[in-house]
Structures are given as C-alpha cells and as structure tokens.
Amino acid sequence: MVRFLIAAPKEPQAKWIRSFRQIAPHIPLDVGYTSPYPDHVQCIMVWGKQGIDYSKFKNLKLIYSMGAGADHIVWDPSVSKKIPICRIVDPQMAFSMSNYIITAVLNYHRHWYDFIELKKVKQWKQYDYDERELRIGILGLGHLGMDAAKKLNILGHQVMGYSLSPKKTSFPTYSGHQLDAFLSQINVLVCTVPLTNKTKGLLGMELFKKFEEPTYLINVARGKIQKEKDILKAIDQGILTGACLDVFETEPLPSDSRLWNHHKIMITPHNASFSFPQEGVHQVLENFRRVHAGEPLLHQVHFNRMY
Ligand code: GLV
C-alpha cells in the first residue's frame, strides 16, 4: 500500500493536509516526522529543517519540497542521492513574490518609510525623486527572479539581471564571470538565488565593495546567503543605503538582533511569498505518477548543483 507523508510545521501543514485530502482522498496520508508504516511511505512532502531521518523510509521514491527552495532537503545528510527531489514552481508564488519586490523597491525609493515617521509628528515634508535613476539588479534569474525582473521592466524601470547561465531577455543580463560588471551597474540589488555552497554568505562585504554606487539591498531568498554583521557595517559606511530583508541567518529573527531597531532596515517575517497547496499537491501527484512511469520529472532539483 502506497502512503504519503507530510513533514512540516503547523503552517503550512494544515493547508496542505486539507488540499491533499481533497485532491487525493484515496492515498493514505501520514503527518509528522515518522510514520507508523515507514516501509509504505513512497513520497515525503517536507518544509523546513525538521530533523527527519529519510534513511528510515526504505521504499521512498520521491522527496518534495513544499516551497520554491530545496536547501532544507539537499543539506540534510540523511537524504540519499538516489531519491529524486522536486520543488514547487508556481506562477501564483511568482506573482506574490514579484508584488513583494515591487513594494520593497517603491517603498524605499518613494520614501514611504519616511512618510510613516513624519505622519507620527504631523510633519509636512516633500521629497524629490526620480524613478529613472533606479537601476535594479536581480541576482538570480530563476522562475521567481525572472518574473520580478520582467514586471519591473514592464513598469518602466531600468532592470538588469545576473544568472550563472546566459538568459535571453529584453533587458540586459550578465552571466558567469560577469558578476562584478553586473554589480558595478546597479543601485538596488534584489537577491533571489537559491542557497547553495556557492551562495552561502555571498551577501557580505566582499560583494558590497563591488558596488560603484550606494545600493539598496532586498533579500527574499535565504537568510544564510547574507552576513547580517556586514549588512550593518555596509549601511554604517554608506555602501548600502538600507535593506529590506524577508529572510535571516536565524529565523525567527532573535529579539536581540540589531537589525530590528535599525531605521534603514525593513524586516518582514519570511513572508514575501508562499506556496499554494492546491497547485502544489497537483505537482506532487503528477511527479509521483512520472516516477512510476519512468518519465522525466518536472522541477527536479539537481543534487550537486543544490537547486
Ligand atoms: C520559501 O521560502 C520557499 O522556498 O518557498
């Protein structure tokens, strides 16, 4: 008998269980980090760092990240390289993410945070602005980064992108060894790269020093890609004009973090976008069918590349 397992914190677990039971009522579903029938579990849907021991599931055929990132799976030493890993790629998730990124860029550029402060003291103050001065760099042109770049471009902003492999786009892009050239062109950096061995700690002083202009940082990817001490230092030194961070080295962000009180740092609680289980469950079931049919999988994560 085939069983599926959902291993996730309360949220998003509840929504996924509801959707799964609605869409696939015929498949027995276990919830938690183990199953009473581990040998029957053929697919695990997982979110977050759960300390799940994958090696206990002898007949596991598929591991599914319930989100866009799969770092929580590929960094887990109990995962066998032989079991395929897939992740959710969802236009609705991209829609939400792009809306967050556009909000973050414009709130910063159009002085929204200043107006919130000025309103508190009933002060009437106008700011000068010119959207044409923005040069927004999207670091990482995967599904989410590309969607945001295209939408910012359609809105009339100057956008450029960087990705490991070259991309065909209607806006300028850089790839491979051209990271420094990309960084020298921008004054807003939006990070949408996955967490890998290569990107861990990437958003630090070494990279910030490559900016030619003071730059605003938006990180919606993973907290371990940023070095928070370096972000604070770079803001102090005027290398960064501020930051909007949705992800943190430790989540939830500890209450004694200096980031909380910094007036140039906007904080959101890993909330830029999330996966929508109705779509997610369909993707899981389709890939599970493909595993059994021996067909190529959709949105498969390459173990060594880590995304
Ligand atoms: C959210 O962080 C995701 O990876 O979906």
Side-chain angles (χ1 to χ4, degrees), residues 61-78:
K61 303 277 186 295
L62 180 64
I63 304 175
Y64 226 104
S65 168
M66 291 157 70
D71 46 288
H72 53 110
I73 304 170
V74 289
W75 290 77
D76 189 317
S78 74

Side-chain angles (χ1 to χ4, degrees), residues 47 65-72 87-88 93 97 144 220-222 246-247 251 270-275:
W47 183 243
S65 168
M66 291 157 70
D71 46 288
H72 53 110
R87 63 192 191 92
I88 303 296
M93 192 193 275
M97 183 59 90
L144 300 177
V220 291
R222 282 290 179 270
D246 186 53
V247 288
E251 292 181 11
H270 203 141
N271 206 209
S273 185
F274 46 78
S275 61

Side-chain angles (χ1 to χ4, degrees), residues 198-214:
K198 285 190 188 137
T199 62
K200 194 163 182 237
L202 178 69
L203 299 175
M205 220 23 144
E206 211 182 305
L207 179 142
F208 301 152
K209 282 189 178 151
K210 311 259 167 74
F211 296 141
E212 288 202 352
E213 254 187 60

Side-chain angles (χ1 to χ4, degrees), residues 18-305:
R18 219 177 305 131
S19 293
F20 190 90
R21 294 211 163 120
Q22 201 180 42
I23 297 167
H26 54 290
I27 303 178
L29 178 69
D30 296 321
V31 179
Y33 304 118
T34 59
S35 157
Y37 311 97
D39 291 351
H40 295 193
V41 173
Q42 294 200 10
C43 176
I44 300 180
M45 293 165 274
V46 60
W47 183 243
K49 237 176 103 192
Q50 303 308 339
I52 185 169
D53 184 355
Y54 292 93
S55 64
K56 285 203 176 126
F57 302 93
K58 301 281 178 250
N59 291 309
L60 192 55
K61 303 277 186 295
L62 180 64
I63 304 175
Y64 226 104
S65 168
M66 291 157 70
D71 46 288
H72 53 110
I73 304 170
V74 289
W75 290 77
D76 189 317
S78 74
V79 173
S80 155
K81 282 191 183 181
K82 290 189 198 131
I83 298 168
I85 301 167
C86 294
R87 63 192 191 92
I88 303 296
V89 174
D90 174 5
Q92 200 176 346
M93 192 193 275
F95 177 53
S96 291
M97 183 59 90
S98 294
N99 282 333
Y100 178 98
I101 292 169
I102 293 164
T103 304
V105 170
L106 294 181
N107 275 343
Y108 155 68
H109 189 63
R110 296 296 305 266
H111 296 276
W112 224 246
Y113 307 121
D114 298 311
F115 291 133
I116 289 169
E117 293 310 309
L118 290 168
K119 182 169 177 284
K120 287 183 193 160
V121 292
K122 301 184 184 169
Q123 195 181 333
W124 180 275
K125 178 175 171 194
Q126 292 184 327
Y127 287 91
D128 215 9
Y129 54 84
D130 183 349
E131 272 98 338
R132 289 166 305 179
E133 284 170 2
L134 283 175
R135 291 195 309 283
I136 306 163
I138 310 287
L139 181 64
L141 293 172
H143 181 65
L144 300 177
M146 185 62 92
D147 190 78
K150 282 183 182 164
K151 285 174 181 162
L152 284 159
N153 192 37
I154 285 170
L155 286 175
H157 294 291
Q158 283 191 71
V159 178
M160 45 224 98
Y162 173 86
S163 57
L164 281 178
S165 51
K167 299 264 149 101
K168 265 206 173 138
T169 53
S170 54
F171 51 87
T173 52
Y174 299 78
S175 60
H177 298 297
Q178 298 172 315
L179 181 61
D180 291 7
F182 163 76
L183 295 169
S184 72
Q185 293 301 311
I186 62 177
N187 54 23
V188 175
L189 177 65
V190 182
C191 175
T192 63
V193 294
L195 174 64
T196 68
N197 283 333
K198 285 190 188 137
T199 62
K200 194 163 182 237
L202 178 69
L203 299 175
M205 220 23 144
E206 211 182 305
L207 179 142
F208 301 152
K209 282 189 178 151
K210 311 259 167 74
F211 296 141
E212 288 202 352
E213 254 187 60
T215 293
Y216 189 70
L217 173 67
I218 298 168
N219 186 10
V220 291
R222 282 290 179 270
K224 299 250 183 298
I225 298 170
Q226 74 199 14
K227 290 186 182 155
E228 285 157 17
K229 275 197 183 126
D230 285 6
I231 292 175
L232 289 162
K233 200 169 7 155
I235 294 177
D236 283 349
Q237 295 180 7
I239 299 172
L240 286 179
T241 54
C244 176
L245 306 174
D246 186 53
V247 288
F248 301 90
E249 286 175 50
T250 304
E251 292 181 11
L253 182 62
S255 58
D256 61 354
S257 166
R258 281 179 55 213
L259 301 177
W260 279 115
N261 292 328
H262 201 295
H263 69 290
K264 290 192 174 166
I265 299 179
M266 179 62 190
I267 286 169
T268 55
H270 203 141
N271 206 209
S273 185
F274 46 78
S275 61
F276 293 87
Q278 281 286 329
E279 170 63 25
V281 168
H282 283 295
Q283 291 188 13
V284 174
L285 293 171
E286 170 58 15
N287 265 335
F288 190 69
R289 185 197 68 73
R290 286 171 178 243
V291 167
H292 279 276
E295 292 173 18
L297 302 185
L298 304 169
H299 318 310
Q300 185 168 0
V301 174
H302 296 261
F303 207 95
N304 294 333
R305 211 174 61 176

